[in-house]
Amino acid sequence: GRDSRVAIDTLEVSPDAVRTTGRVAALPLAWLIGLTQRESPDPAQPPTLGGDLELGTQWDLFWPLADGGVPKAELSVTRERGDLLLPVSAGDGTGSAARLAAGLRESSVRLRVDGTELHAQARWASERAGDATAELRSTLSRQPGGGWTWGAQAPLSGNLRARVPDVAVWAGLAPPGWRVRGALDGAATLAGTRAAPRLDGQVEASGLALRSLADGIEFVNGSLRARLDGERVLIERLALEGAGGAAGGGQLSGTGTVSLADGEPSMDIDLTLDKLRATNRADRRVVLSGKLRGALAGRKLTLRGQLRADQALIVLPDESTPSLGADVVVRAERATQASTGAGVQPVSALRAPFDADVDVAFDLGPAFQVRGMGLETYVEGDVTARVASGSLVPHLFGEVRTRRGTYRAYGVKMEIETGVLRFSGPLDDAGLDILAIRPNLSQRVGVAVSGSAQHPSVRLYADPDLPDSEKLAWLVLGRPASGAGAEA
């Protein structure tokens, strides 16, 4: 790049005032990022911004030191040449980062002080990262002991306008593994004071899409209309379609309010699901209808709702799925911990980001299918998911029953006559009451499972009762043991 140049045209210092004018040319953004990177606590982490952008700065300052003087100042920072590289998702579902040129055409910030008047302007124009303009007016006040200050009660006025043709450019702000698309357009006026600013205006989004390949979540054809009302954001309309769009993806719609009054975040959102394809993985497909209501007040998160599965397919992982041995321990540590030998914080000591209070009822509906590990069945029933205040672990309460189910064991496909899972605590430790019978035999034989999911009890079953060897013979061979020869 070009050599940076600093020119101080005027520098006058007297007991009454300070006066200086000057400029900086060809200041590279990479140099500023380098300074920030060296100060980072994790030098191995790459910077989030890059590019060959060069900035130019001009200033003209007159600041009185004696009583009665009126300050005057002008400062501007503008793009001279080059472009900015923004972090975006690589698009492979792994959450890895890539960089995209913003196509920057104009970028400037201008600040002017004339006596008590404060005026600031900002302008951003780019091909792919959107356009934005902002203007702010306020006042300075004289301090009793001399000097000038921008007080907390200084009045504010101004306006803000922004347009982003595709928010995917800013997808580096999204959680790892998620992709976000859509266009944003908004305008607002600024009022209030420096301590309590107020924004009033409108924000609209179209073509919204959210996708997480790992979770099988995909929402498309979304739209949003929200109104800025001081310290509140009123969500007047939110609409998203599930995977497949109008061809069977269903819809999610909602309204609500988000507030930052007194610096304390709060939220109240109502969502309606209408045959929404919530997950679309090959081993986890769920279509849901119902209502959810979420509220956030500080760290207190409350979630209530009633959901029904219109259709679902859950494929259980095969028993042969590779897994780590019991003697393998995986630990994730920061480089600083590794260098100092500090241990990893145990899960029991982790603090939840929110104090959650969840109570959501689920109706499994008429077409909830479970397959895998020898099991193939429809299930029905009602369960309630709850998370108590201060807990990280969800609990389930209710009963689930099998319908038209089969179970394959000992090379035989058996029919499930009784299949009941009773939940009364942790979701992975349901009570089991299962009886699978081999069909089309004169003798009733099969397998009975009782106990709990964590401590199941499996035994051979016969009615009338038989010795275990006879039960096994009927189950495997379909007839009693001969008692002699190679067959026995």
Side-chain angles (χ1 to χ4, degrees), residues 60-352:
D60 184 346
L61 171 67
F62 173 78
W63 199 263
L65 302 178
D67 291 342
V70 177
K72 292 187 176 183
E74 290 189 15
L75 172 67
S76 66
V77 179
T78 60
R79 167 188 176 269
E80 290 188 345
R81 62 175 294 276
D83 202 358
L84 186 66
L85 295 179
L86 301 172
V88 298
S89 171
D92 54 8
T94 63
S96 57
R99 286 182 175 178
L100 178 69
L104 192 59
R105 296 189 298 266
E106 179 184 352
S107 177
S108 64
V109 177
R110 303 180 189 277
L111 177 66
R112 181 169 58 85
V113 176
D114 188 357
T116 60
E117 300 297 321
L118 174 65
H119 185 206
Q121 291 178 305
R123 168 72 176 157
W124 168 280
S126 68
E127 181 181 350
R128 287 176 288 275
D131 301 332
T133 59
E135 184 174 11
L136 168 69
R137 294 183 181 275
S138 188
T139 59
L140 300 177
S141 58
R142 190 187 297 273
Q143 294 178 306
W148 297 79
T149 184
W150 188 25
Q153 300 305 314
L156 297 179
S157 64
N159 57 76
L160 172 67
R161 177 72 194 229
R163 182 189 63 85
V164 181
D166 190 353
V167 296
V169 175
W170 303 96
L173 302 176
W178 283 82
R179 298 188 68 190
V180 183
R181 298 190 67 88
L184 287 176
D185 196 346
T189 58
L190 177 65
T193 63
R194 184 180 71 83
R198 178 183 178 89
L199 278 174
D200 294 277
Q202 194 87 10
V203 176
E204 293 196 7
S206 60
L208 290 177
L210 294 86
R211 187 181 187 191
S212 172
L213 291 176
D215 299 308
I217 297 175
E218 183 177 4
F219 298 132
V220 296
N221 301 332
S223 62
L224 169 71
R225 185 177 67 234
R227 181 162 54 89
L228 305 179
D229 182 25
E231 296 177 324
R232 300 186 303 165
V233 178
L234 306 178
I235 302 174
E236 298 177 341
R237 186 194 71 233
L238 169 65
L240 287 166
E241 294 178 358
Q251 190 174 63
L252 168 71
S253 59
T255 59
T257 303
V258 179
S259 175
L260 290 173
D262 302 323
E264 187 78 5
S266 63
M267 176 185 71
D268 197 340
I269 303 290
D270 287 295
L271 298 175
T272 300
L273 290 69
D274 183 14
K275 295 181 174 58
L276 177 72
R277 191 176 294 275
T279 64
N280 200 40
R281 268 179 29 176
D283 62 341
R284 189 189 308 157
R285 296 200 298 269
V286 180
V287 178
L288 295 173
S289 294
K291 294 183 178 294
L292 287 173
R293 182 182 183 89
L296 175 67
R299 291 188 64 252
K300 179 70 173 181
L301 175 65
T302 303
L303 184 63
R304 297 287 185 270
Q306 292 184 327
L307 297 176
R308 173 185 171 88
D310 300 285
Q311 183 182 354
L313 170 62
I314 305 297
V315 179
L316 304 175
D318 193 39
E319 287 183 321
S320 61
T321 300
S323 60
L324 295 174
D327 59 336
V328 178
V329 178
V330 178
R331 300 194 303 175
E333 297 178 299
R334 292 183 179 271
T336 52
Q337 289 178 318
S339 62
T340 60
V344 180
Q345 190 178 22
V347 173
S348 59
L350 294 178
R351 185 185 182 194

Side-chain angles (χ1 to χ4, degrees), residues 24-47:
V24 178
L27 179 63
L29 178 68
W31 182 73
L32 298 175
I33 293 177
L35 287 178
T36 306
Q37 184 66 17
R38 282 195 293 270
E39 295 173 359
S40 170
D42 186 3
Q45 183 177 355

Side-chain angles (χ1 to χ4, degrees), residues 412-459:
V412 177
K413 188 174 184 179
M414 294 175 282
E415 296 179 351
I416 300 176
E417 285 195 356
T418 303
V420 180
L421 280 70
R422 296 183 177 90
F423 294 93
S424 59
L427 58 86
D428 60 349
D429 199 20
L432 306 177
D433 183 5
I434 301 171
L435 176 61
I437 300 294
R438 176 167 176 172
N440 305 320
L441 293 180
S442 58
Q443 170 69 44
R444 280 174 54 84
V445 292
V447 174
V449 184
S450 58
S452 68
Q454 293 292 330
H455 302 284
S457 174
V458 182
R459 60 183 177 86

